[in-house]
Amino acid sequence: MNRYLRSAACVAWLLIAIYAASGHAANPFDQKLSPEKRITHLLNRLAYGPRPGDIDDVRRLGVETWIRRQLYPERIPQSPLLERKLQPLGSLQLATWQVYEGYMSGPAGMMMASAMSPSRLLAADQLVTFRSGSADQRRAILMAASPAIRRQLLLSLPAAALQDLPDMQVAAFNERAAEKDRLRPPLTEILTPAQLKTLMSGTEDEKTTLLSTLSMERRQQVLRQVEPEAVPEVFRREVVTLGQPAQMPLIELIDSKLYRAIFSTRQLEELLVDFWVNHFNVFSGKGPVRTLLTSYERDAIRPHVLGRFRDMLLATARHPAMLFYLDNWQSQGPRDDETRSGLNENYGRELMELHTLGAGGGYTQDDVVAVARAFTGWTIHEPGKYGEFFFNPAMHDREQKVVLGHTLVRGGGEDDGIRVIDILARHPSTARFIARKLAQRFVADDPPLSLVERVAVTFTKTDGDLRRTMETLLLAPEFMSDGAWQAKLKSPFEFVVSALRTLDAGVDDTVPLAQKLADMGQPLYGKTEPTGYLNTSAQWASSAGLLSRMQFAWVLTAGAIPGVTVDARRLETGNAQVVTLASVFISSPDFQKR
Amino acid sequence: MTMLTRRSFLATTGLTIGALGVAPRWLLRVAAQAQEKRKILIVVFQRGAADGLNMVVPFFEKRYSALRPSIAVAAPGAPNGGIDLDGRFALHPSLQPLKELWDSQRLAIIHAAGSSDPTRSHFDAQDYMESGTQGRKLEDGWLNRSVPLRRDRVSPMRAVAMGPQVPLTLRGSCGAIAVDDLSRSFQLGPPETAAVLERLYLTSSDVRLREHGKGTFDAARSLAAITKQPYTPANGAQYLGEFGRRLRQIAQLIKGDVGLEVAFADMGGWDHHTNETQQLGFLLREFGTSLAAFARDMGERMTDIVLVTMSEFGRTTAENGSGGTDHGHGNVMLVIGGMVRGGASYGEWPGLEQEQLFEGRDLAVTTDFRDVLGEVVSTHLGQNVAEVFPGHGVRASLGLLRS
């Protein structure tokens, strides 16, 4: 009896063991991806999909070597094609004050198309004189300039630069009036009635023909006086450049984002810049953020994506784009009468909820207030002009604060904010929150907990070294598992870029592509809320989304997107079937996944 | 053809309309006839936490203007003052167009409404209000769960979100679609390509793509038919702005008789931490004008329609240091419709005295948002509240709707 029982127990135990083993084996994150899928998976996850030749490259290098190379982007030679594409984008390398001077100052921006920026016309010390010098000093500079330069200066200098110089103000007014007539003569004087009718109500083709036959000067005179939507897509960029130069920095930033995603050989770096810009989202439509974004991405995010999390966190906290977007630049300590608060909680809350600890990361409303108080005085020096960080002690709340149990003693000043950054960057909730979000982006919408834990451990052990953190994530077996295979739905941006890469499309204008992305619900730098776009697939699964993707595939392969040329046409097979196949491929369910 | 039933119509469309590309308008009408008299629920979400205390102003509260020295709406009668409703509450002056709905008893107000969850995170609060379940996040939303079950095949357009994405509240087992722009083409490439793609999607192993693919092809056919006609709102209704465009499209779908039962439109930009007075004025003008235009455009059909507005939480009773307000708690909900017992406010007013505030700073919540929605869902749509809002006990009815 006893023996019978014991053997029954043995059998039961065996059954449980087998069941457990099979259950274990059934976990798709434990199943290795078959070799033929691995390269495709890699290029769909650590790149915006394969370009022709990429698969051979990975095969030659081996998967792990390819991953390690991508973790050191500076060692990968950049694509000369990309460098040629970026070279003409003049605003990308400018400091924010230069962007203001080059694109924003001057009357309504309109003159800037023809007038040179003062920063190109004058020496640096002369520029300083124009900002702060006496009337006589400024007059002396103007009088010493040649007539041509003086004319350019009068056209482009801000009104403040001519203060207390009445004769110069009159001269500037006259120059500008004359310039306006030259740039924007009445359309009835430069177009025949028939041409005017075509411009107002002609078809796209008729408008294209008309505009292409005008001389360059005439065409520009016309384009300065129309809305971008009123002309065929090929001319829209020209309309913006001529009429709204203030839009150019953002347009060039979008250019650079698309060109880099499509052509960069350092694909992982671009994915990470996209990830972190989205993590620390700011909205281009809020006040001067549009102008500050160039520096935000270049100076606060890009240098740190494989560096230290804490450095990126601090760089975003101090950047005018973030200070303005989440209102911290206005937040201040108690005012003199002490009955009204000067505080603005917006940044303090989102810093913990979205940037570091995550909702449920263990902070209270009291912590929100304490963090907001710590950051009072972190503000912007003349946000509409220079856009630089500065600490204003007069706005700072000097009293003691308690943040997540840490006491910031009275009188900490600017360091209060830095202390908070250090506390948050090293908090265990932050490690888990960041680890999970990265795993969601690179592995699956609902990543295995054990993977998240391992990534979080690396994050903590290395004090937030993001290169080491990424290494743990990307070399983990879960990354190359059945569970990860095609588990993510592409965002519209990933969809569009991967379609262009797969077809080896040539791109000479990104404005129409950016418009298509906005139509698909993902305007670049255009997410209003500080969450950024969600990391998971549910957001992008919709019939409206599929509809616009299929329509995109159709116009793309038909060669109907201005500024984009597609392989199927370049091959000049003249074979309608090739075009149809390409369209079906890009519209297919499989291509929507990565 | 004369005896075409709805069922055979739907079976036919699946096979042949794909080739034709477009379904004739009259055919769709046949399909929709049985549904024409269906009740319709429209949900409007003000994302970003709208300042309910300045939308519907408790001007009788002594502390109201003291808490908001620079952003308080002036009392009725003062220059640019609120619009008196009942001697206690006043509409923000930019909501003037809604006064007519109040006077004709088609607008009810529920103040100090919201969720009992104390979160001041936009995103958690929106998730919770969209799923309608406290404490646990469901994959589907209450609005999807409130779509009545139908035994036969149903219109692909019965649950529609205006915008490029299906919001959480409309995700779930009843297929919902998102429509961004009815004026755009709904052709999915040349007919033969579209047919191949439809087969690929309907046989995809990915459930999400299969379902949304099906919705895409079905909806494209419906939409291609109704959007051929230019739409002119009735009774001189004038919609305003992007929000107005969305409501106008809902009106177009309702009048197109495509079988719409629930619709969702959101409006963003309410997170006024700074410079609130100016921004709120602009937004409320767009909001109020468009809601009034919708009611005007719908005319008699408002009898079959209930429209509810909501926002994830309210804002601090006191203004902050930048002429704005920070994240708060209780807020105001509006209910509009022909069967609404309007011209009245519902729920208990908690007061603005210091000891009456939630956590000493925010308007308290006295009416759970699920009580408002639950009543609409049960009285208007005939749904079981316990299934739409699991875990939320049935409370005494507010009496918002005439049955």
Side-chain angles (χ1 to χ4, degrees):
Chain A
M1 191 68 177
N2 227 349
R3 197 164 22 172
Y4 178 74
L5 262 182
R6 201 179 299 149
S7 66
C10 276
V11 171
W13 184 87
L14 203 65
L15 283 173
I16 289 166
I18 291 169
Y19 179 77
S22 68
H24 186 68
N27 181 349
F29 290 105
D30 292 340
Q31 297 288 304
K32 266 195 185 165
L33 212 50
S34 64
E36 71 273 20
K37 287 180 179 169
R38 300 182 73 187
I39 295 177
T40 312
H41 182 67
L42 191 68
L43 290 166
N44 273 331
R45 284 302 166 87
L46 304 191
Y48 288 105
R51 287 178 66 83
D54 281 356
I55 289 179
D56 291 338
D57 279 353
V58 180
R59 192 170 286 137
R60 201 173 49 248
L61 285 169
V63 167
E64 194 177 321
T65 310
W66 192 89
I67 294 176
R68 289 192 189 281
R69 250 166 70 94
Q70 288 290 326
L71 287 169
Y72 292 87
E74 65 283 2
R75 299 182 193 166
I76 307 173
Q78 191 48 283
S79 147
L81 175 61
L82 175 62
E83 281 169 356
R84 277 204 304 283
K85 296 277 180 199
L86 296 182
Q87 201 269 330
L89 307 178
S91 63
L92 291 184
Q93 298 310 323
L94 299 183
T96 297
W97 70 268
Q98 292 173 307
V99 175
Y100 278 120
E101 295 225 329
Y103 297 87
M104 305 287 156
S105 58
M110 183 193 75
M111 298 300 169
M112 296 310 300
S114 62
M116 295 280 285
S117 153
S119 63
R120 303 228 176 101
L121 297 166
L122 296 173
D125 57 331
Q126 291 178 315
L127 275 173
V128 172
T129 305
F130 266 106
R131 228 176 268 152
S132 54
S134 70
D136 287 343
Q137 287 172 319
R138 284 178 279 132
R139 181 193 301 281
I141 293 174
L142 282 170
M143 297 315 289
S146 72
I149 299 278
R150 190 183 317 137
R151 186 172 162 276
Q152 292 289 335
L153 284 171
L154 290 174
L155 285 175
S156 59
L157 283 171
L162 300 178
Q163 212 175 344
D164 303 323
L165 297 171
D167 55 327
M168 289 296 165
Q169 286 169 357
V170 171
F173 180 84
N174 290 336
E175 287 293 356
R176 284 170 190 188
E179 182 72 357
K180 181 168 177 287
D181 284 348
R182 194 183 71 71
L183 294 172
R184 316 176 75 162
L187 286 177
T188 46
E189 284 176 18
I190 53 171
L191 295 179
T192 67
Q195 286 175 322
L196 203 55
K197 184 156 179 283
T198 302
L199 184 69
M200 296 302 165
S201 54
T203 65
E204 296 274 293
D205 286 347
E206 288 166 353
K207 287 180 186 177
T208 306
T209 312
L210 168 68
L211 291 167
S212 314
T213 48
L214 296 175
S215 74
M216 185 163 91
E217 193 190 353
R218 276 273 178 280
R219 186 179 74 233
Q220 293 189 344
Q221 287 171 335
V222 171
L223 292 182
R224 269 186 207 105
Q225 304 184 54
V226 296
E227 292 297 319
E229 295 74 30
V231 293
E233 267 181 324
V234 245
F235 294 103
R236 280 187 197 161
R237 175 182 293 260
E238 204 174 344
V239 171
V240 175
T241 318
L242 292 167
Q244 303 164 310
Q247 303 282 355
M248 285 313 288
L250 180 60
I251 289 180
E252 292 190 345
L253 183 64
I254 290 173
D255 280 340
S256 73
K257 184 176 179 74
L258 276 157
Y259 285 141
R260 284 180 159 128
I262 300 165
F263 298 115
S264 177
T265 50
R266 303 162 183 173
Q267 284 278 297
L268 179 61
E269 181 182 36
E270 293 312 318
L271 285 168
L272 289 171
V273 170
D274 178 70
F275 174 90
W276 287 110
V277 165
N278 190 59
H279 180 81
F280 293 108
N281 185 49
V282 298
F283 171 49
S284 63
K286 183 166 176 175
V289 172
R290 186 181 56 181
T291 318
L292 299 165
L293 254 162
T294 303
S295 155
Y296 184 65
E297 177 168 310
R298 181 192 61 208
D299 305 329
I301 305 286
R302 187 174 284 277
H304 304 297
V305 297
L306 288 165
R308 215 164 277 282
F309 175 75
R310 183 257 182 205
D311 296 344
M312 181 154 44
L313 187 63
L314 180 59
T316 59
R318 293 174 80 94
H319 200 280
M322 183 62 80
L323 289 165
F324 192 90
Y325 173 61
L326 289 179
D327 305 317
N328 198 74
W329 74 288
Q330 291 189 332
S331 185
Q332 50 183 305
R335 292 172 178 167
D336 292 341
D337 60 10
E338 299 229 344
T339 54
R340 286 174 62 193
S341 161
L343 204 61
N344 191 309
E345 294 174 7
N346 204 6
Y347 179 66
R349 180 184 310 281
E350 308 304 9
L351 171 65
M352 289 191 282
E353 177 183 334
L354 300 175
H355 299 169
T356 56
L357 307 177
Y363 59 93
T364 64
Q365 175 62 32
D366 289 344
D367 291 317
V368 171
V369 171
V371 168
R373 288 174 56 218
F375 280 103
T376 48
W378 285 43
T379 188
I380 310 171
H381 178 58
E382 296 198 58
K385 210 164 164 195
Y386 303 109
E388 280 161 24
F389 170 86
F390 99 110
F391 177 73
N392 182 350
M395 293 171 77
H396 184 66
D397 178 340
R398 293 157 185 278
E399 296 306 312
Q400 173 180 296
K401 297 120 196 149
V402 179
V403 173
L404 297 162
H406 301 260
T407 301
L408 312 185
V409 293
R410 196 172 183 285
E414 183 178 351
D415 286 348
D416 275 0
I418 296 172
R419 277 290 308 282
V420 171
I421 293 290
D422 286 334
I423 293 166
L424 293 175
R426 293 181 179 129
H427 196 285
S429 293
T430 300
R432 270 195 302 275
F433 182 63
I434 297 297
R436 180 169 160 79
K437 197 163 172 181
L438 283 168
Q440 270 190 330
R441 174 68 180 77
F442 288 96
V443 179
D445 286 347
D446 196 6
L449 200 61
S450 59
L451 173 67
V452 173
E453 283 302 326
R454 273 167 14 242
V455 175
V457 165
T458 303
F459 184 95
T460 305
K461 268 204 325 220
T462 62
D463 197 17
D465 181 331
L466 293 173
R467 199 189 317 262
R468 301 277 302 280
T469 303
M470 288 308 297
E471 192 178 63
T472 301
L473 178 66
L474 301 181
L475 297 178
E478 290 91 336
F479 172 72
M480 274 290 177
S481 71
D482 271 355
W485 171 250
Q486 293 215 321
K488 299 281 295 183
L489 201 60
K490 289 175 184 172
S491 71
F493 181 67
E494 290 160 348
F495 164 74
V496 164
V497 173
S498 62
L500 295 164
R501 285 172 61 85
T502 284
L503 296 183
D504 197 15
V507 181
D508 296 308
D509 187 4
T510 66
V511 170
L513 292 173
Q515 184 57 50
K516 295 266 185 284
L517 283 167
D519 293 345
M520 291 183 198
Q522 198 178 17
L524 299 176
Y525 307 101
K527 178 70 174 166
T528 322
E529 297 83 5
T531 38
Y533 294 109
L534 287 190
N535 218 3
T536 48
S537 303
Q539 157 145 5
W540 302 120
S542 82
S543 36
L546 289 177
L547 184 77
S548 54
R549 288 177 191 216
M550 290 180 210
Q551 290 183 330
F552 177 82
W554 182 23
V555 291
L556 173 68
T557 52
I561 300 180
V564 180
T565 42
V566 164
D567 200 36
R569 276 164 63 90
R570 269 203 326 214
L571 288 173
E572 284 175 15
T573 56
N575 185 343
Q577 265 188 339
V578 174
V579 176
T580 306
L581 275 177
S583 168
V584 169
F585 173 62
I586 289 169
S587 303
S588 70
D590 278 355
F591 195 78
Q592 310 316 311
K593 297 188 280 186
R594 61 175 174 88
Chain B
M1 280 305 265
T2 49
M3 292 301 290
L4 192 67
T5 63
R6 207 169 123 252
R7 186 178 296 274
S8 73
F9 160 76
L10 286 163
T12 319
T13 50
L15 296 169
T16 61
I17 303 295
L20 291 172
V22 169
R25 190 175 164 78
W26 68 268
L27 267 179
L28 275 152
R29 280 195 181 280
V30 173
Q33 255 166 14
Q35 306 175 10
E36 265 181 35
K37 277 290 141 197
R38 272 186 195 152
K39 301 289 186 186
I40 297 169
L41 170 60
I42 296 158
V43 174
V44 167
F45 206 108
Q46 298 169 281
R47 290 197 195 277
D51 185 7
L53 287 172
N54 273 12
M55 278 176 65
V56 177
V57 182
F59 69 90
F60 70 102
E61 281 279 359
K62 286 191 302 291
R63 287 192 85 219
Y64 169 73
S65 49
L67 285 162
R68 300 178 159 215
S70 78
I71 64 161
V73 173
N80 208 24
I83 300 154
D84 190 3
L85 294 177
D86 57 2
R88 285 158 39 94
F89 294 100
L91 290 175
H92 187 284
S94 297
L95 291 177
Q96 171 71 47
L98 294 183
K99 181 64 166 32
E100 187 197 332
L101 292 173
W102 174 270
D103 290 341
S104 58
Q105 290 166 19
R106 289 177 294 164
L107 163 65
I109 285 167
I110 304 95
H111 224 316
S115 88
S116 49
D117 193 295
T119 182
R120 291 186 182 88
S121 150
H122 290 299
F123 319 104
D124 276 0
Q126 287 180 18
D127 275 3
Y128 170 37
M129 276 209 165
E130 290 193 51
S131 65
T133 48
Q134 184 160 18
R136 58 203 166 103
K137 288 191 185 172
L138 289 188
E139 283 293 300
D140 62 351
W142 71 265
L143 190 54
N144 192 294
R145 294 193 297 274
S146 64
V147 182
L149 282 172
R150 306 258 178 244
R151 242 169 288 136
D152 41 2
R153 272 196 73 183
V154 289
S155 160
M157 304 293 297
R158 59 202 308 237
V160 178
M162 286 295 144
Q165 286 131 25
V166 178
L168 173 59
T169 196
L170 263 181
R171 288 184 211 142
S173 58
C174 162
I177 70 150
V179 179
D180 197 22
D181 186 351
L182 289 180
S183 67
R184 251 186 249 153
S185 162
F186 287 93
Q187 206 183 342
L188 295 166
E192 64 275 17
T193 317
V196 172
L197 283 174
E198 185 161 7
R199 261 201 305 283
L200 280 177
Y201 273 88
L202 295 187
T203 55
S204 167
S205 59
D206 186 307
V207 181
R208 282 172 313 200
L209 289 172
R210 199 163 63 230
E211 280 174 6
H212 289 294
K214 180 171 163 10
T216 307
F217 290 97
D218 288 347
R221 281 187 280 269
S222 292
L223 290 168
I226 70 153
T227 55
K228 289 213 129 177
Q229 331 278 334
Y231 180 71
T232 315
N235 309 316
Q238 297 275 342
Y239 294 92
L240 185 65
E242 168 63 18
F243 177 61
R245 191 183 71 83
R246 292 183 173 191
L247 284 186
R248 188 180 184 276
Q249 295 193 147
I250 292 176
Q252 192 177 356
L253 292 179
I254 291 173
K255 291 198 190 163
D257 292 327
V258 293
L260 185 75
E261 294 184 66
V262 303
F264 178 90
D266 54 9
M267 179 175 179
W270 299 94
D271 195 14
H272 297 141
H273 287 276
T274 64
N275 186 24
E276 175 171 319
T277 299
Q278 190 193 7
Q279 300 187 71
L280 187 67
F282 279 125
L283 283 190
L284 287 179
R285 188 165 153 265
E286 178 178 344
F287 182 73
T289 306
S290 301
L291 287 174
F294 177 77
R296 176 178 286 259
D297 188 7
M298 286 294 106
E300 284 303 303
R301 287 196 81 148
M302 280 308 280
T303 315
D304 298 322
I305 297 171
V306 171
L307 184 151
V308 184
T309 77
M310 57 202 286
S311 189
E312 65 264 34
F313 43 70
R315 308 193 69 82
T316 45
T317 50
E319 71 178 68
N320 67 13
S322 351
T325 43
D326 292 323
H327 300 183
H329 196 51
N331 207 342
V332 68
M333 294 175 77
L334 310 181
V335 181
I336 298 172
M339 299 297 278
V340 171
R341 287 203 177 93
S345 64
Y346 292 81
E348 186 194 333
W349 175 251
L352 293 183
E353 293 302 321
Q354 186 61 36
E355 66 280 5
Q356 294 169 325
L357 298 179
F358 174 73
E359 295 183 355
R361 53 179 260 163
D362 301 331
L363 184 66
V365 169
T366 53
T367 304
D368 192 293
F369 74 105
R370 291 168 296 183
D371 291 337
V372 177
L373 300 174
E375 192 165 328
V376 170
V377 162
S378 63
T379 313
H380 185 62
L381 297 180
Q383 288 293 82
N384 181 350
V385 181
E387 282 169 20
V388 178
F389 296 107
H392 181 61
V394 181
R395 314 283 163 89
S397 158
L398 292 162
L400 280 168
L401 299 174
R402 289 179 276 145
S403 44

